[in-house]
Amino acid sequence: MSSQQSFVVISGGSACNNIARAFHRIGSNNVCYILGVSDNGGSTSELLRVLGGPSIGDLRSRLTRLIDVCNTNGYSAERVAIRELLSYRLPSNGSEHELKDEWAEIVEGHHILWKEISTEKKEAIRGFLTSFNFEILKRANKRFNFCNGSIGNFFLTGARLFFGSLEAALFLFSALTGVSEPTAVVPVINTNHTATIAAMLENNDILVGQCEISHPSIQSDRQNFCKRSRQNPIDAFSQLSAEQEEFDAWNTPTSNSNIIFSKQADEKLVSRIHRIYYINEYGQEIYPVPNPKVISHLSLKQTLIYSIGSLYTSIVPCLVLRNVGNTIAQSPNLKYKVFLLNGTNDRETDGYTALDFITTITSALNESQRIDARRAFYHSSSSTLGSPPYYYPPFPDHLFFPSPPSAFVTHLIYLNNSSIHVDVHAMQKLGIQCISIQGTCSDHGEAIYDEAILTEALQHIVS
């Protein structure tokens, strides 16, 4: 029975890494991970500032974790060495000279991290690190900051720029590390451009970028980080007529303060998040098309997992995209749609109950369906009004029928020591089955999942 199971997991980059093995034990490695490409913190923030492109930090984090999870033929010194190399970060507190010296040792192949890696794999990896270094040198005027730099991120970026394709870079990473089909790591949007999310709060303030929403940098301006003012519309498109290195349509600081941030920051949002949406570089809302592989896996896999992690910056950005809501609600193969409730609330969900989490998931997926309905309406209006139409009539809300929570979530798994309140009766009234499992505690005293116990719970659901 277990060999026939398949999973599609919507998650962020770090939280899910600790429970990934549970899906593979049941699904015999037939697991697809869907991850967002809008993170703009840590090492990724400097890559975005200097080179642009999509965020690859979460993708790299999952792939390096899977080196161990997917390893069924025993450990080898080389496999461990590759994992250590691609997981390695340059120091966060070294001088510029020291950081560049260590980076040069890695690029030139002299660093101790290369010791157990065979010559052919060493030269393959080093080739793309060299390519990345060349791109940095071409932009020397931007003074790339190697502080806290991830070697795995540098490798993926070098490969993406060389191939001109994010998915080609991911394929190369997977091939070199032994992460092979049926396991897949899929970016929710297949793009070579930067994807940016924004959060509108209930008080109408707007936060731009995942880092500002979820874990503002230590150096950020504490008085102004919650409220952004748009650029004068007359000035907003001046970048089209002249290159302005320091131009920013959202009036954000030109220096990079996101390299070092704290996920344990205790500063709360001034208001709850109302909605998450994607924006272009001028702050205008856009509606990206998801990676076709996302729709394919959601259509073909048997079990959908909404993983633990940041609700609004990891999970929701994968749900509000076009055709995602309809696919999850209508897929004939998705028998189980399981939401894993976090053990504790964070900055994004302060004061939330389990019902609030489910409501957020439902709203995001209904928003996806509503975008599809609007697009179909505008398409029909275009045909009726002629091409091109001078205006589009407002979308009539009575043409959209939102789906109930049970269309998107069938099971809720939560920890018996969770600090988040779960109203089991209310969940059952929504058509969602609740399953309580034993949790353990982290070093900080927070409720966390035990991989073996989670495996048993999932096995019970899908059997």
Side-chain angles (χ1 to χ4, degrees):
M1 172 71 73
S2 62
S3 63
Q4 300 173 359
Q5 298 301 323
S6 58
F7 289 84
V8 55
V9 182
I10 298 176
S11 76
S14 55
C16 182
N17 284 342
N18 298 320
I19 59 172
R21 200 180 298 274
F23 314 126
H24 292 261
R25 285 173 175 168
I26 302 173
S28 297
N29 289 333
N30 191 354
V31 183
C32 169
Y33 295 94
I34 297 173
L35 294 104
V37 291
S38 54
D39 188 8
N40 66 334
S43 171
T44 296
S45 66
E46 188 67 358
L47 295 174
L48 298 180
R49 183 184 72 84
V50 177
L51 297 171
S55 167
I56 43 82
D58 288 348
L59 297 164
R60 183 267 312 157
S61 175
R62 183 58 37 79
L63 283 168
T64 51
R65 172 65 179 122
L66 292 178
I67 295 174
D68 288 339
V69 172
C70 296
N71 180 21
T72 58
N73 299 318
Y75 286 93
S76 70
E78 181 178 62
R79 185 182 292 267
V80 172
I82 291 175
R83 182 197 65 199
E84 293 300 317
L85 171 68
L86 297 177
S87 300
Y88 184 72
R89 287 185 179 274
L90 296 171
S92 60
N93 55 357
S95 68
E96 181 179 2
H97 180 74
E98 291 170 336
L99 292 172
K100 287 185 175 180
D101 280 351
E102 183 171 6
W103 167 240
E105 282 189 35
I106 294 174
V107 173
E108 294 170 6
H110 305 314
H111 200 282
I112 188 65
L113 288 167
W114 295 108
K115 183 178 180 180
E116 299 294 338
I117 301 176
S118 60
T119 301
E120 62 273 16
K121 290 186 179 179
K122 172 182 176 180
E123 292 308 308
I125 297 171
R126 203 174 67 81
F128 291 100
L129 293 179
T130 302
S131 177
F132 169 79
N133 194 56
F134 175 67
E135 297 294 337
I136 293 299
L137 290 175
K138 285 200 303 184
R139 299 163 177 81
N141 62 307
K142 295 188 176 182
R143 298 184 63 85
F144 184 85
N145 188 343
F146 287 95
C147 173
N148 202 41
S150 164
I151 303 305
N153 286 358
F154 296 170
F155 171 77
L156 265 180
T157 301
R160 179 185 67 80
L161 293 170
F162 179 84
F163 292 120
S165 165
L166 173 59
E167 291 204 316
L170 294 172
F171 171 78
L172 175 66
F173 196 112
S174 299
L176 284 168
T177 55
V179 179
S180 59
E181 294 183 349
T183 301
V185 175
V186 176
V188 72
I189 304 173
N190 184 21
T191 180
N192 276 321
H193 301 286
T194 301
T196 304
I197 58 171
M200 176 176 286
L201 307 186
E202 290 181 351
N203 67 351
N204 292 323
D205 282 355
I206 295 175
L207 305 181
V208 178
Q210 176 170 328
C211 205
E212 189 173 302
I213 299 167
S214 180
H215 38 263
S217 65
I218 298 172
Q219 304 169 19
S220 63
D221 185 341
R222 293 306 184 188
Q223 294 182 344
N224 298 319
F225 80 88
C226 272
K227 199 176 255 187
R228 299 277 178 158
S229 59
R230 291 178 185 265
Q231 185 83 357
N232 185 310
I234 302 301
D235 299 329
F237 294 90
S238 61
Q239 190 182 27
L240 299 178
S241 59
E243 289 190 9
Q244 299 176 26
E245 292 274 338
E246 305 302 325
F247 177 84
D248 189 331
W250 279 84
N251 292 333
T252 54
T254 55
S255 61
N256 186 359
S257 61
N258 289 341
I259 293 181
I260 305 298
F261 61 86
S262 173
K263 290 190 176 182
Q264 274 72 46
D266 57 0
E267 183 150 11
K268 298 179 181 179
L269 294 172
V270 296
S271 178
R272 280 192 172 191
I273 296 175
H274 173 61
R275 61 187 291 255
I276 293 287
Y277 57 98
Y278 286 86
I279 60 173
N280 62 17
E281 60 183 310
Y282 304 109
Q284 300 162 318
E285 183 170 2
I286 57 175
Y287 308 97
V289 177
N291 188 336
K293 291 182 179 180
V294 170
I295 303 303
S296 175
H297 283 288
L298 288 172
S299 300
L300 298 175
K301 293 291 193 288
Q302 294 174 315
T303 302
L304 167 63
I305 302 290
Y306 304 96
S307 182
I308 54 175
S310 300
L311 176 65
Y312 281 105
T313 53
S314 293
I315 308 300
V316 170
C318 296
L319 305 182
V320 296
L321 298 171
R322 289 153 52 177
N323 202 27
V324 172
N326 282 323
T327 302
I328 292 176
Q330 300 169 12
S331 171
N333 293 314
L334 272 182
K335 298 179 182 178
Y336 314 104
K337 306 165 188 179
V338 184
F339 184 86
L340 303 183
L341 184 65
N342 292 339
T344 57
N345 279 313
D346 57 17
R347 168 183 160 87
E348 299 176 11
T349 59
D350 182 54
Y352 271 40
T353 66
L355 187 59
D356 291 320
F357 278 82
I358 297 300
T359 300
T360 299
I361 294 294
T362 303
S363 297
L365 290 168
N366 273 320
E367 176 64 17
S368 169
Q369 291 183 311
R370 191 172 190 275
I371 292 170
D372 292 341
R374 288 172 57 199
R375 187 175 188 277
F377 171 75
Y378 295 144
H379 180 74
S380 63
S381 297
S382 177
S383 301
T384 303
L385 296 173
S387 182
Y390 291 104
Y391 71 95
Y392 284 102
F395 175 74
D397 288 332
H398 69 271
L399 293 181
F400 173 67
F401 302 94
S403 299
S406 59
F408 306 123
V409 181
T410 61
H411 295 77
L412 172 76
I413 295 180
Y414 66 99
L415 302 175
N416 62 356
N417 61 338
S418 173
S419 63
I420 301 175
H421 175 67
V422 179
D423 187 334
V424 175
H425 179 67
M427 290 293 176
Q428 291 174 340
K429 289 180 65 176
L430 294 175
I432 299 173
Q433 182 179 345
C434 296
I435 301 173
S436 174
I437 65 174
Q438 182 179 347
T440 60
C441 288
S442 70
D443 295 338
H444 302 288
E446 298 176 340
I448 58 175
Y449 282 82
D450 179 274
E451 208 168 46
I453 297 175
L454 177 60
T455 302
E456 292 180 8
L458 291 173
Q459 184 70 68
H460 177 74
I461 291 174
V462 304
S463 296

